[in-house]
Amino acid sequence: VQLQASGGGLVQPGGSLKLSCVGSGFTLRPFHMGWFRQAPGQERELVAAINRSGGNPYYTNSVKGRFTISRDNAKNTAYLQMNDLKPEDTAVYYCAASRNVNWRMADGYNYRGQGTQVTVSS
């Protein structure tokens, strides 16, 4: 299982970015999908998650109302739309896949891809 995240970059506070996560060589359809982030010196955090069919989304409190997770199984891709970005959102963002019932929890993920850097700074 190989996952590749893309779409990160440098953005000013209040700006937006859309991250994409593509499955390489396998279909994402059977997996619940999540987005994690990790800032220097901090623990990895589950930011958002979505079930196999694209419903029942989970968001950590700090991103509710600003981030939206979605997926397009036909394109084998998951997304994280990030709006109104803040400096504290700066981190490496990873996508991850789960076949577990505890997919709304950080330890429910079996597979994690390479990350993409998001930097929010003026």
Side-chain angles (χ1 to χ4, degrees):
V1 174
Q2 287 191 332
L3 298 165
Q4 180 62 55
S6 63
L10 173 63
V11 63
Q12 292 186 342
S16 297
L17 285 173
K18 187 173 185 177
L19 306 183
S20 299
C21 172
V22 178
S24 177
F26 73 104
T27 176
L28 296 182
R29 194 178 298 273
F31 295 91
H32 311 296
M33 296 299 298
W35 285 95
F36 289 78
R37 67 185 178 188
Q38 188 165 22
Q42 297 190 18
E43 292 187 359
R44 185 167 53 98
E45 175 186 28
L46 178 61
V47 174
I50 197 166
N51 69 12
R52 296 184 183 95
S53 57
N56 199 19
Y58 162 85
Y59 299 99
T60 194
N61 285 339
S62 62
V63 308
K64 285 180 180 177
R66 300 189 298 122
F67 290 12
T68 302
I69 188 171
S70 61
R71 64 190 298 163
D72 185 339
N73 286 337
K75 294 183 178 179
N76 212 34
T77 304
Y79 304 97
L80 185 67
Q81 176 69 47
M82 305 185 295
N83 297 329
D84 189 23
L85 282 160
K86 305 176 185 300
E88 52 264 39
D89 295 318
T90 295
V92 177
Y93 283 71
Y94 304 87
C95 58
S98 171
R99 305 190 76 154
N100 299 324
V101 296
N102 59 335
W103 59 272
R104 293 168 68 90
M105 301 177 66
D107 59 0
Y109 284 80
N110 312 93
Y111 310 103
R112 191 183 75 179
Q114 292 184 326
T116 185
Q117 176 70 46
V118 171
T119 302
V120 185
S121 175
S122 54

